[in-house]
Amino acid sequence: MKKLLVILLVTLALLSFAKPLKVALLLNGTLGDKSFFDSAGRGIELAIKQLGIQGKIIEASYKQENWRPYLEDLSDQDYDIIVVGTWQMQEILEEIAPMNPDKKYFIFDTSVDYSKPGLKNVYSILYKQNEGSFLMGALAAMVTTSGMPKTNAEPIIGFLGGMDIPVINDFLVGYIEGAKYINPNIKVLISYVGSFNDPAKGKELSLAMYRQGADVIFNVAGNTGIGLLEAAKEADRWAIGVDSDQALIYEETDKEIAKRILTSMMKNVDNSILRGLKLHLEGKLVYGKAEALGIAEGGVGVADNRYYRENVPENIRNKIKEIEEKIIKGDIKVGTVFGMSQEDLNKLRASVRP
């Protein structure tokens, strides 16, 4: 009888062990942005295919009043891990995670404040977007005076930000530093839309920058950035995508847009979520702390697709690879907005003002 009981307990333990990991991704927005949230969604899809998890994606829309109730509801369900992202979810998670100590949470593209109690069940994923943006700034600075089609002789490039907030300005700092690394006299037109969900305004501001002489504009605006890509098509100028490989995303729906995206700065949200879930399953993931993923860790990089190879001359692409290696080796130290004073940020922006 005792032997049968032992066998039964072992069997139950094995069945419990074999139970798929249940993961929910809560988006404080929607899929279809062809950028940030779509990349997060791909991370869950990859984990379903490669790791055998049981995953669900919940779109809470851009209405802020939805976000907390959705997270509370998911926390009451039987999910093992709940994944959220962006600075807009930070405070909400800081309140809810301590109330659910048996749950595990991921937050990407920001970190919770670990000086607050009860957050040992949260893993924060940060990205060194300043490193990837340094490459984009260097690329834009080389392209703008290269004599390539769709360029003019003026060393003027553009930057479209969703909002004037630290994470977007971290892109900006890297972009300006990369551009000045190539050309200390480069000029950068900078526009903030004030929203990550206003493509019409994004298009309006991008067209204005193209009219002012920018022939390359970097999209750092989420769903708003769709307007920039449309503006690049309308103005017949160049764009640089962000987060996802936006040229390949547009290839099947609008090839004229795809052909105007030189490359994209990949913020590999998908790979970072997949990596975190894999480490969790292996028992190697450390909760209660933040981890920053840069070029060396595969967190950010250049979308090396056929559009990049066809449109960007080989000597420029080789220079980008050279700069990438220097960043990995530490020969180039890229500045970051985090820890930078507002005065210093303003000085940096002023240094490239046309």
Side-chain angles (χ1 to χ4, degrees):
M1 186 69 178
K2 187 181 286 186
K3 190 173 182 180
L4 286 173
L5 182 60
V6 170
I7 292 171
L8 178 60
L9 289 172
V10 170
T11 302
L12 289 172
L14 289 172
L15 286 171
S16 175
F17 181 79
K19 183 182 176 183
L21 187 71
K22 289 194 69 175
V23 181
L25 168 64
L26 174 63
L27 300 178
N28 52 313
T30 62
L31 294 171
D33 66 350
K34 305 185 189 303
S35 178
F36 191 75
F37 288 138
D38 283 355
S39 183
R42 280 196 305 276
I44 296 299
E45 291 166 1
L46 287 169
I48 292 169
K49 293 175 183 176
Q50 297 183 24
L51 305 178
I53 71 157
Q54 185 177 336
K56 184 175 182 181
I57 301 172
I58 300 95
E59 300 171 79
S61 85
Y62 291 93
K63 296 179 180 178
Q64 295 188 22
E65 61 269 24
N66 290 346
W67 301 343
R68 184 185 179 101
Y70 268 92
L71 186 55
E72 289 175 332
D73 182 58
L74 288 171
S75 297
D76 288 337
Q77 298 182 41
D78 63 344
Y79 289 103
D80 301 299
I81 298 175
I82 300 167
V83 183
V84 299
T86 82
W87 61 278
Q88 293 169 306
M89 292 298 293
Q90 177 187 333
E91 290 187 5
I92 297 172
L93 183 58
E94 287 172 350
E95 294 172 6
I96 291 175
M99 294 189 288
N100 298 276
D102 295 332
K103 295 287 182 184
K104 299 293 186 187
Y105 297 89
F106 287 12
I107 186 166
F108 58 88
D109 207 34
T110 192
S111 174
V112 293
D113 181 356
Y114 287 106
S115 68
K116 296 181 178 179
L119 297 172
K120 291 182 179 180
N121 56 341
V122 180
Y123 167 58
S124 300
I125 308 172
L126 300 171
Y127 306 93
K128 297 177 184 177
Q129 54 270 324
N130 56 325
E131 291 186 352
S133 296
F134 190 99
L135 300 177
M136 300 301 103
L139 173 65
M142 286 187 281
V143 165
T144 187
T145 54
S146 66
M148 284 170 51
K150 312 185 200 313
T151 64
N152 56 56
E154 297 298 319
I156 302 174
I157 59 177
F159 178 93
L160 183 75
M163 298 179 74
D164 187 356
I165 57 175
V167 68
I168 298 302
N169 286 326
D170 205 37
F171 280 93
L172 179 64
V173 168
Y175 188 62
I176 291 174
E177 287 190 359
K180 293 181 78 170
Y181 178 82
I182 297 298
N183 180 359
N185 299 313
I186 195 77
K187 301 302 177 186
V188 184
L189 297 167
I190 302 167
S191 290
Y192 299 98
V193 180
S195 169
F196 290 104
N197 190 36
D198 192 347
K201 187 70 173 178
K203 183 176 181 179
E204 176 189 334
L205 293 177
S206 298
L207 287 171
M209 285 191 281
Y210 285 131
R211 286 194 295 268
Q212 292 173 68
D215 38 30
V216 186
I217 303 177
F218 185 22
N219 166 27
V220 191
N223 196 49
T224 293
I226 290 174
L228 162 57
L229 304 181
E230 292 172 351
K233 173 184 172 180
E234 185 173 314
D236 196 23
R237 295 290 185 269
W238 295 116
I240 295 174
V242 74
D243 297 333
S244 298
D245 190 335
Q246 294 191 301
L248 294 188
I249 289 173
Y250 272 95
E251 190 171 43
E252 293 184 4
T253 58
D254 195 327
K255 287 188 177 179
E256 291 305 310
I257 286 181
K259 288 190 292 187
R260 287 166 175 81
I261 302 173
L262 287 170
T263 185
S264 295
M265 194 219 87
M266 302 294 286
K267 182 182 276 193
N268 295 317
V269 177
D270 49 1
N271 290 339
S272 69
I273 291 174
L274 177 65
R275 174 181 177 274
L277 293 174
K278 184 174 184 292
L279 288 172
H280 173 92
L281 289 169
E282 294 171 351
K284 298 177 182 177
L285 188 64
V286 180
Y287 287 88
K289 64 181 292 187
E291 186 174 19
L293 307 177
I295 293 173
E297 299 82 12
V300 297
V302 179
D304 187 4
N305 56 39
R306 69 180 184 87
Y307 296 99
Y308 180 57
R309 293 188 292 271
E310 289 173 5
N311 290 323
V312 179
E314 185 178 10
N315 66 306
I316 294 180
R317 288 184 279 117
N318 287 340
K319 184 66 175 179
I320 293 299
K321 286 182 182 178
E322 176 190 312
I323 294 170
E324 191 173 47
E325 286 301 314
K326 286 184 176 180
I327 292 173
I328 292 172
K329 291 177 181 177
D331 296 336
I332 294 176
K333 303 287 187 183
V334 183
T336 175
V337 80
F338 298 106
M340 180 182 287
S341 68
Q342 186 64 46
E343 181 183 2
D344 286 342
L345 175 61
N346 291 339
K347 284 180 181 177
L348 183 65
R349 288 191 282 217
S351 72
V352 291
R353 187 174 296 132

